[in-house]
């Protein structure tokens, strides 16, 4: 069956040059996959390329903005020409913007959705035919715990992530019969450049490390995740060990969404 193919596989990772996407790129490449990292940030792509070269990993870097349909179309065609398609697509590109529905402009909402939601739709639109060309495979979408419950001030982000979980289920149903599995990972807080940017923004006169530690304590496991921990979950869902799993949303959240924050008195 397509999803139990043995390596080497060809993998495309959007947002593959930093944070969770970078960790997925390196984890999969270290396991023997050829990984095409697609990212809009040329400096991050150059850093990733250099890091991959020192380990002699099969990582290609390509500057692609997932909000640009034509750039995605070219990237998918290039993968088709070079490898006859891809086996796995990981959608990790995403952005965070803060504000309530009345504070945020509609333009900011559109900008976030163009990456977080439309960008995933467009990535799958162009790459699922490339997965079909290789006889099947899988897609892993990075959603968030904000699909289930929201912090204050993340209305657009939460909406994008909730919609991704629904989109993943719909795609899983549509493509199961052709051997293409589609799943989501839903992380809690993960120590990436995005989280550090948020900590810098909200720390005020505190040390951002203390704020990240506070966020970590909100998770029953007591800390935030490393990007590598999310990459391992992505690799599992992408791989043959998950051959009967499709349409799932796997929480990688240190117990965050399992907990009710109402303590009994000591
Ligand atoms: N860090 C967290 O705590 C956390 C938690 C849950 C979910 N997530 C999700 O995980 C994914 C990765 O987040 P992260 O924390 O690693 O973010 P990050 O900002 O650290 O890295 C994201 C990468 O995506 C790239 N990117 C952003 N917009 C892009 C676009 N339009 N086209 C191509 N590349 C683009 C960036 O250049 C960057 O390299 C996002 O979808 C995010 O919403 C993150």
């Amino acid at each position: 069956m397509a999803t139990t193919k043995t390596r080497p596989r060809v993998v495309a990772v959007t947002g593959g040059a930093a944070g969770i996407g970078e960790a997925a790129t390196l984890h999969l490449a270290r396991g023997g996959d050829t990984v095409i990292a697609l990212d809009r940030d040329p400096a991050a792509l150059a850093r990733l390329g250099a890091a991959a070269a020192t380990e002699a990993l099969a990582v290609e870097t390509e500057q692609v903005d997932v909000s640009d349909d034509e750039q995605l179309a070219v990237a998918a065609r290039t993968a088709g020409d070079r490898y006859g398609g891809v086996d796995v697509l990981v959608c990790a590109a995403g952005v965070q913007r803060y504000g309530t529905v009345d504070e945020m402009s509609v333009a900011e909402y559109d900008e976030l959705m163009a990456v977080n939601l439309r960008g995933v739709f467009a990535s799958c639109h162009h790459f699922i035919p490339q997965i079909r060309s290789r006889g099947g495979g899988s897609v892993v979408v990075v959603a968030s715990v904000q699909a289930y419950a929201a912090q204050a001030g993340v209305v657009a982000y939460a909406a994008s992530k909730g919609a991704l979980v629904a989109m993943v289920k719909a795609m899983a149903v549509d493509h199961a019969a052709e051997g293409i599995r589609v799943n989501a990972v839903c992380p809690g807080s993960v120590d990436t450049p995005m989280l550090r940017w948020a900590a810098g923004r909200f720390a005020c006169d505190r040390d951002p490390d203390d704020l990240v530690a506070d966020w970590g304590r909100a998770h029953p496991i007591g800390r935030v995740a490393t990007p590598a921990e999310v990459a391992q979950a992505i690799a599992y869902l992408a791989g043959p060990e998950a051959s009967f799993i499709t349409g799932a949303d796997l929480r990688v959240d240190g117990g965050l969404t399992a907990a009710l924050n109402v303590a009994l008195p000591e």
Side-chain angles (χ1 to χ4, degrees), residues 15 17-21 38-41 44 64-67 92-95 115-116 142-144 157 161 187-190 192-195:
I20 293 169
L38 309 169
D39 203 290
R40 71 174 169 190
D41 180 345
V64 171
D65 186 331
V66 298
S67 65
V95 291
V115 180
N116 289 16
V142 183
S144 167
Y157 184 84
K161 297 302 184 178
S189 299
V190 189
T192 66
M194 180 191 279
L195 190 86

Side-chain angles (χ1 to χ4, degrees), residues 2-7 9 181 235-244:
T3 51
T4 58
K5 279 185 295 197
T6 52
R7 291 174 171 183
R9 301 180 303 189
R181 297 181 299 103
Y236 166 68
L237 287 173
E241 295 83 2
S243 56
F244 203 60

Side-chain angles (χ1 to χ4, degrees), residues 204-225:
C204 299
D205 49 4
R206 291 182 62 193
D207 180 347
D209 283 348
D210 288 345
L211 186 55
V212 170
D214 275 356
W215 290 340
R217 281 187 283 275
H219 300 63
I221 280 185
R223 60 174 176 81
V224 301

